[in-house]
Amino acid sequence: MSVLTEPTDAAAMADSLSDADRFSAIFDSHFETIHRFLYRRAGRNAADELAADTFAEAFRRRLTYDPSRAGVRPWLFGIATNLLRHHLRTERRQLHAYARTGVDPVLHPDLEAVDARVDADAMGPRLALGLATLRAGDRDVLLLYAWGDLGYEEIAQALSIPVGTVRSRLHRARRRLRELLEAGGQSSGGPEQEGVSG
């Protein structure tokens, strides 16, 4: 499956206004990425539902999509992140459970290759505790960066916040995670090497 470029995405969005079937190009191009991000944050069952809801909401809102403001990818991540906010309590409980037990409640073994950005065996529980203690906005920015693979501009577009806010939230989240990892005897280079910092 080839990934559509932004101009093609924008054209598919525009075409979908008169031909709803053209929206399938957006779905085909971005569903797997959005689903993987949601899976990592909320688990399989929630990811399946949230990913479907993300694209249903995007389809409903396609008339309001402004290609000059945001690319399709960050726009979709913004919708997905907003839907995730309803699952925040569950996510925090899962992170606390992971921190207590060392067993990741959402990571399925067949996603190990996809999740190479975070070494769950070496620092997973302490990292989970760190993520659980972050402010929701800081956690959203950090996970869009680390697990969503979005850049600063894309995160700003996805969350409708200034790039400066993205930078400060990411800096604050990284600093907090480094403090927790170093307090637990982990090298502060760990999260940088695994994609939590950059």
Side-chain angles (χ1 to χ4, degrees):
M1 173 175 61
S2 64
V3 175
L4 296 176
T5 62
E6 285 303 323
T8 305
D9 283 349
M13 287 293 285
D15 291 347
S16 75
L17 298 176
S18 59
D19 179 5
D21 290 340
R22 283 290 286 141
F23 190 80
S24 64
I26 300 298
F27 180 89
D28 292 343
S29 180
H30 298 287
F31 182 83
E32 185 178 318
T33 301
I34 296 294
H35 186 271
R36 185 172 46 245
F37 174 73
L38 291 167
Y39 186 127
R40 187 60 190 104
R41 291 211 48 194
R44 179 180 300 276
N45 293 337
D48 292 347
E49 181 180 334
L50 287 169
D53 289 349
T54 296
F55 284 88
E57 182 68 15
F59 181 79
R60 282 190 296 273
R61 292 176 40 193
R62 71 192 189 285
L63 184 63
T64 64
Y65 169 70
D66 180 1
S68 68
R69 186 181 165 277
V72 169
R73 186 169 170 253
W75 182 68
L76 291 169
F77 270 107
I79 293 170
T81 299
N82 284 333
L83 291 172
L84 267 170
R85 288 192 178 120
H86 296 295
H87 293 270
L88 184 60
R89 287 189 191 108
T90 300
E91 179 185 46
R92 290 191 73 212
R93 281 194 300 268
Q94 289 172 337
L95 290 168
H96 280 296
Y98 186 17
R100 277 192 315 276
T101 66
V103 177
D104 189 336
V106 299
L107 187 60
H108 190 273
D110 66 359
L111 286 183
E112 287 293 340
V114 173
D115 197 49
R117 299 180 72 107
V118 178
D119 181 23
D121 292 335
M123 68 177 84
R126 188 163 297 279
L127 183 59
L129 177 61
L131 290 171
T133 61
L134 293 176
R135 295 179 193 162
D138 293 355
R139 184 170 50 249
D140 286 343
V141 167
L142 179 68
L143 295 180
L144 283 169
Y145 179 81
W147 294 344
D149 201 27
L150 295 181
Y152 293 175
E153 289 283 341
E154 291 174 311
I155 295 168
Q157 293 169 358
L159 299 178
S160 298
I161 58 176
V163 173
T165 302
V166 171
R167 291 181 189 282
S168 64
R169 288 181 182 180
L170 192 55
H171 174 75
R172 188 170 44 238
R174 287 174 176 159
R175 186 179 64 231
R176 174 71 178 138
L177 291 180
R178 275 191 208 105
E179 290 168 358
L180 284 171
L181 292 174
E182 288 172 359
Q186 297 285 338
S187 164
S188 63
E192 289 180 21
Q193 294 169 357
E194 300 296 340
V196 175
S197 244

